[in-house]
Amino acid sequence: MTPQPPRRPGFFEYYEELIGTWTRRLKNRQQAEDLAHDTFVRVLESDPAKVEQPRAYLHQTARNIAVDGYRRDDRRGAMELEAIHHSAPPTGDPEHFMHAIQLADSIEQALAELPLNCRKAFVWQKIEGLTQAEIAERLGLSKNMVEKYMIRTLRHLRDRLDGPMP
């Protein structure tokens, strides 16, 4: 009788469960499938034979990848604002340039007070020029929700920037 190789943990048994969990959390099946794909790639690149609880390991790995993705998106938005802030001065009045820098600082501070999706929607629409439909698709939300985020963000900016400038 030939000895059988040790059975690998049943990661694939939990594929649909992982997709379902993350579809509910992200409200977007395509993003959930991408996350599951990245999760399985990471699991298969590690040593799956050492995993005692494949279900828990898969869900924790997916959670870690999702958190890393949100952090990366948040940093990307901050870097875009920083690039605007440090752009080359226009030729002309230095006072105008200093006012523009102060305004950029104020906008950056005000945006930092808002939830991540509000900041993303604002940066993607005002800086990257995406439509609300494109933003809705990226965030896995309705176009109506993106419009509400933009209204909230613009009201917040108006309230914060109507006060005394730093």
Side-chain angles (χ1 to χ4, degrees):
M1 185 170 217
T2 309
Q4 296 292 324
R7 185 175 182 273
R8 292 173 64 140
F11 289 105
F12 292 103
E13 296 171 25
Y14 302 106
Y15 178 77
E16 287 301 322
E17 177 184 328
L18 192 66
I19 296 285
T21 298
W22 286 97
T23 297
R24 284 187 302 279
R25 288 184 178 178
L26 299 172
K27 295 177 180 49
N28 184 313
R29 182 166 177 95
Q30 184 176 359
Q31 287 179 346
E33 289 172 351
D34 289 345
L35 178 62
H37 174 267
D38 293 345
T39 300
F40 276 88
V41 167
R42 188 173 291 177
V43 166
L44 295 173
E45 286 174 345
S46 68
D47 186 3
K50 292 183 179 179
V51 176
E52 293 180 20
Q53 297 179 2
R55 180 176 181 253
Y57 187 79
L58 277 174
H59 283 278
Q60 184 62 48
T61 301
R63 187 176 304 114
N64 292 344
I65 292 170
V67 167
D68 290 346
Y70 281 119
R71 287 180 181 152
R72 189 172 42 254
D73 287 347
D74 195 31
R75 275 196 309 274
R76 186 178 304 128
M79 287 176 13
E80 289 167 352
L81 287 174
E82 189 70 19
I84 291 170
H85 179 270
H86 291 292
S87 61
T91 58
D93 185 12
E95 283 185 38
H96 177 74
F97 178 66
M98 289 306 298
H99 178 71
I101 288 177
Q102 290 174 339
L103 180 59
D105 282 340
S106 297
I107 291 171
E108 188 174 359
Q109 289 172 359
L111 286 174
E113 297 168 354
L114 291 165
L116 179 60
N117 280 348
C118 288
R119 295 192 310 257
K120 284 181 180 181
F122 179 81
V123 168
W124 288 343
Q125 184 172 9
K126 298 298 184 184
I127 296 174
E128 293 185 18
L130 296 180
T131 66
Q132 288 185 356
E134 292 168 327
I135 295 167
E137 186 176 333
R138 276 192 184 185
L139 293 175
L141 301 170
S142 69
K143 186 178 165 192
N144 191 25
M145 194 68 216
V146 172
E147 187 175 341
K148 288 178 183 178
Y149 283 152
M150 286 303 296
I151 290 169
R152 177 179 178 185
T153 301
L154 293 171
R155 281 184 182 155
H156 181 74
L157 289 173
R158 184 192 64 215
D159 292 345
R160 292 283 279 128
L161 299 178
D162 277 348
M165 296 294 288

